[in-house]
Each structure stands twice: as structure tokens, then as C-alpha cells.
Amino acid sequence: MKLRVFILLIAVFVFSGCSDKDENWLSFVGDSQIARWDLQVYFPSKLTENMGVSGSGIEYLKSLANSMTGKSAVILSGTNDLYKLKSESDIDSYAYEFITSVSALNAEKIYIYSILPRHFNNENKNVNKKIADLNLHIKEEAEKHNIVYIDVFSKLLKDDAINMQYSYDGLHLNNYGYEIISYELKRYLE
Amino acid sequence: MKNFLIKIFFLSSFILLFANSIQAQLKVGLRDNTYAQIAYEFKNDWEAKLEHSIYLEKFGFQKVRAYMGYNHMWGNFKLDANVYGSTLWNASYQDFGAVVTAGYRILKPWRIEATINPHYDTQYGYKTCYAASTDVQIVEHFGVMAQYTTIPEYRLSEKRVRAGFIFSYKELQVTPMLSIPVGEEIKSMRILCSFQYKFLFKKNKE
């Protein structure tokens, strides 16, 4: 008797909250920062796919054109292309090309992270001024295309470089860093 | 809010239902760092279990799962069958399934197991997951285990190899392990720990 009552309780309990809400897949696209991100740990209740490719940049984004129909896309990319940007006009045209490539993914909703600050192999801290400038251009272009821009650059910056509490090598995030960027994205997802 | 209250009501019912008959075995524990468990075993072979997630999420995104299971040993052969249903507190999705494990003790310290897990997620759809595992008891309180699994550690199925140690002392068992991805698409290794403590309230038949 108790067994029957228990099974009945379980069935009612589970079905009491049944929902037919159809949630989009979240496709995370970008470089090694994405590839190393344990998405199931930070987004355990979401349908996520990790499309990160270490060392990738804008060419990878272009190769994914029209592949995200019906999905939401989360983009974290750009740091591997910094060496190409020598002048202000390079930065301006890169930001335009970057957002055009992201728009071409054809995702239902797009969230784009700012490029993260860095201090890799003791490189010159001036690189972060270039990143800040590029982020500004990317933000402006994103707003024109109705893309959600998520600023994590300022949250990870300390003394003109990446805060080493959040990175283990000056480029890649550690778990504390991933906690911060996950939190910032969740603010928009919820 | 209505869903939340309904769930509170049925969770309370679950506890009250068994509160007057807690005489056999009560188990508490943690699975894979992430799921707190409480289980009640009755009539030696039947078990009811509740599991609650400890995700890095707000409460509404936490998952609660209820299991009902049967397990029995015939000599060296063991069968463990459970059905389950779970939901997030905010009811954004549910999942249902069964976990059936058949185990065989080849030698006294060496055991092999195979598990099949038909699993349905109301958003993701259906997937048949499985696992194959083995464990060897090295000395009285210490053993090692290895497993190949596609059973989700979180929500989605991943191909993983898990290897770890089994420490046991009286009614406590602790299993720290490494979970290593073997699919090309996943790169994250996880350090996981499970433990279980059994409270015995009366002697079992065996």
C-alpha cells in the first residue's frame, strides 16, 4: 500500500511542474577560452554546446556562417587576431568585420563578450589599451546589430593587465575567472 | 509559486510517509560533488531516494530528483533497477528514466558491472546512456575503480572515463575520482567525490 502511495506521490511531484517551454540551445563559439570552459559545470541546467577551437579567430567565425539557426550564440573571440591590428583604422575595420561575421551566424539571439585583458609571457601592457579600444568599437557595432555586448574586460582588469587571480598564465582563465564570466552571462540569460 | 508549493507539499508527504517506519536503513550521501542524497531502504530490497543538486546556480535552477528502486543479490550476481523523475524548481524542464545495473563478482575482491540508462529530457529528447565499470578491493578498507560512461554527470550525455579510489570503513564509503573526457568535443577534466553513510536501524534478514 505504502509503495503504491509513494509511486503516486512521485508521479504527481514530478509532473506537477511539467513545462513545454522550448528553450534554445546555447552554442558557445570562440577560441581556447571557450574550449577550456566546462559549460556543464557553470550552466548545468542549460542545453549547451562547446564550439571552442584553440587558436581560432575571425576566420573560424566566418566559417560558421548560417550554422546557428534556431540557437542562441555566445561569442568569446578576438584575442588571437590582435597581432593583425597595427593602426586605428585596422581596429575600426576589424570591429566591423567581426560583428558582421557574428551576425552571419544567423543565431536567434547573440551574446558577445568583450575581448579579455591579458598579460601573457610578460608582454607589453600596452596591448590592453589596444584591446580596450577594440572593445569600444565592437560595442558600438554590436549595438547597431542588436547584439548583447557583455563587458568583462573591466571586471578582469587590474593594473592595466589581467588580474592574475583570474588567470593562471596571463591569457587563459582559471576557475575564478570562469565564475565571473559565467555570472555576467547569466545576468542576461535570466 | 503554485508549482513550488505543490512540490513542497509532496516532498513533505514523502517524508511523512516513511517517518513512522524508519526502522531499516537510512543512507545519506553526496554524488559527484553535486547531488546531495537521502535514501530509505525497506523490505531489504526496495529503496526510495531523493536527490538535490548543489549547482552554481540560483535556487530556481536547482534540480530535485526522486528514485524508486529494487536491488537483489543471487549468489555472485547482483541486479539494481531504479526509475526516476526530476525537475528544476522553476519547472523549466523535467527528465525521466531508469537505471538498470547488473553486476557480477568474478573473484572475491573483483567485481564487474554494466549499466543501461534510458533517459528522456523534456527539452533535449531521448537518449540511451550506458556505463561499464569494474572495481577491485586491494586491502580491507581500500579499493580502486574504473568506469567508461555516457551517463550525464550534469544534464547532457558525455563520453567519459572515470577512475578513482574506494575508501570504506564500517558504514562509510568515500569515492574520490577523476572524470576524463574522451570525446573530441569536450575538454574539461573533473575531480569528483562521492560519499555515502548508512544508518542501520535494525538487523536485516541476511
Side-chain angles (χ1 to χ4, degrees):
Chain A
M1 177 60 188
K2 274 185 178 170
L3 179 63
R4 283 182 202 158
V5 176
F6 172 71
I7 291 170
L8 185 68
L9 284 175
I10 293 298
V12 176
F13 168 70
V14 170
F15 284 101
S16 66
C18 271
S19 155
D20 56 358
K21 265 193 268 178
D22 193 19
E23 191 175 285
N24 283 344
W25 277 85
L26 274 176
S27 292
F28 287 70
V29 182
D31 50 34
S32 54
Q33 304 284 15
I34 295 282
R36 290 161 177 261
W37 198 348
D38 194 341
L39 297 174
Q40 292 223 43
V41 170
Y42 292 98
F43 303 93
S45 56
K46 302 282 181 198
L47 294 172
T48 55
E49 64 178 343
N50 191 323
M51 299 182 68
V53 175
S54 296
S56 69
I58 199 165
E59 295 306 319
Y60 176 57
L61 293 176
K62 286 178 183 171
S63 73
L64 296 174
N66 294 314
S67 66
M68 302 272 161
T69 311
K71 297 177 180 176
S72 294
V74 179
I75 314 294
L76 176 51
S77 182
T79 202
N80 294 317
D81 292 328
L82 287 174
Y83 73 96
K84 297 177 187 169
L85 313 179
K86 310 281 186 206
S87 65
E88 184 64 26
S89 68
D90 287 346
I91 288 172
D92 194 28
S93 57
Y94 180 86
Y96 175 79
E97 199 183 351
F98 186 73
I99 293 298
T100 307
S101 310
V102 168
S103 298
L105 296 173
N106 214 9
E108 293 212 346
K109 184 92 186 170
I110 300 174
Y111 305 88
I112 189 163
Y113 278 108
S114 56
I115 299 172
L116 310 187
R118 49 192 281 172
H119 187 45
F120 190 51
N121 287 340
N122 292 319
E123 68 195 327
N124 192 323
K125 286 185 178 179
N126 281 335
V127 71
N128 292 306
K129 290 195 176 112
K130 191 201 283 188
I131 293 172
D133 192 15
L134 178 56
N135 280 335
L136 205 61
H137 284 73
I138 288 174
K139 186 182 176 196
E140 284 169 8
E141 290 295 333
E143 282 165 359
K144 285 182 205 164
H145 288 78
N146 204 21
I147 289 171
V148 178
Y149 175 84
I150 305 171
D151 173 35
V152 285
F153 177 87
S154 57
K155 295 189 168 57
L156 300 174
L157 191 72
K158 187 182 180 186
D159 298 333
D160 297 328
I162 191 165
N163 186 338
M164 289 306 290
Q165 278 190 326
Y166 305 133
S167 172
Y168 64 87
D169 62 358
L171 180 64
H172 300 102
L173 295 176
N174 59 23
N175 285 346
Y176 300 112
Y178 280 120
E179 213 167 315
I180 286 180
I181 67 170
S182 300
Y183 173 77
E184 291 301 322
L185 176 60
K186 281 176 190 174
R187 289 175 54 186
Y188 291 95
L189 295 177
E190 290 162 13
Chain B
M1 188 62 187
K2 186 183 154 201
N3 282 335
F4 179 78
L5 291 173
I6 290 171
K7 287 189 186 86
I8 290 290
F9 172 75
F10 284 107
L11 274 177
S12 311
S13 306
F14 172 85
I15 292 161
L16 287 173
L17 181 64
F18 292 106
N20 63 350
S21 61
I22 292 178
Q23 301 170 49
Q25 273 192 17
L26 191 69
K27 299 176 194 168
V28 293
L30 185 75
R31 178 171 70 87
D32 295 348
N33 301 357
T34 312
Y35 304 97
Q37 299 180 323
I38 182 164
Y40 172 65
E41 189 177 282
F42 52 102
K43 293 182 180 174
N44 284 333
D45 294 329
W46 291 91
E47 186 177 82
K49 185 161 67 182
L50 265 185
E51 194 174 77
H52 200 286
S53 67
I54 316 166
Y55 293 151
L56 298 167
E57 292 273 13
K58 289 179 182 168
F59 184 75
F61 292 92
Q62 300 295 335
K63 182 155 92 175
V64 59
R65 174 177 282 185
Y67 292 86
M68 184 69 207
Y70 175 80
N71 66 78
H72 194 77
M73 282 197 81
W74 294 271
N76 289 331
F77 180 77
K78 185 185 178 188
L79 181 73
D80 190 349
N82 288 274
V83 290
Y84 62 80
S86 35
T87 181
L88 295 196
W89 284 102
N90 67 10
S92 62
Y93 80 92
Q94 289 74 39
D95 62 40
F96 312 94
V99 184
V100 180
T101 301
Y104 187 74
R105 191 169 288 284
I106 298 172
L107 298 168
K108 196 181 173 194
W110 180 27
R111 190 174 55 166
I112 56 169
E113 279 185 358
T115 301
I116 186 155
N117 170 212
H119 178 80
Y120 177 73
D121 179 309
T122 52
Q123 287 174 346
Y124 178 69
Y126 176 78
K127 188 165 176 79
T128 305
C129 306
Y130 56 90
S133 52
T134 184
D135 60 79
V136 180
Q137 189 177 349
I138 310 280
V139 289
E140 191 187 354
H141 299 300
F142 173 73
V144 292
M145 58 79 66
Q147 183 183 52
Y148 174 79
T149 182
T150 66
I151 296 172
E153 285 175 1
Y154 289 89
R155 183 172 178 184
L156 299 171
S157 173
E158 305 164 293
K159 292 175 188 158
R160 286 184 169 265
V161 170
R162 291 150 59 110
F165 303 115
I166 303 169
F167 299 97
S168 53
Y169 183 72
K170 293 186 177 172
E171 302 306 328
L172 176 68
Q173 182 171 300
V174 181
T175 316
M177 69 179 89
L178 273 181
S179 171
I180 303 157
V182 289
E184 277 181 16
E185 70 281 9
I186 300 160
K187 291 102 179 168
S188 308
M189 192 167 73
R190 297 175 189 144
I191 299 170
L192 302 174
C193 190
S194 303
F195 80 87
Q196 187 179 71
Y197 187 82
K198 239 184 257 181
F199 295 92
L200 301 172
F201 291 95
K202 73 168 189 182
K203 281 188 178 174
N204 288 329
K205 282 177 195 169
E206 69 271 5

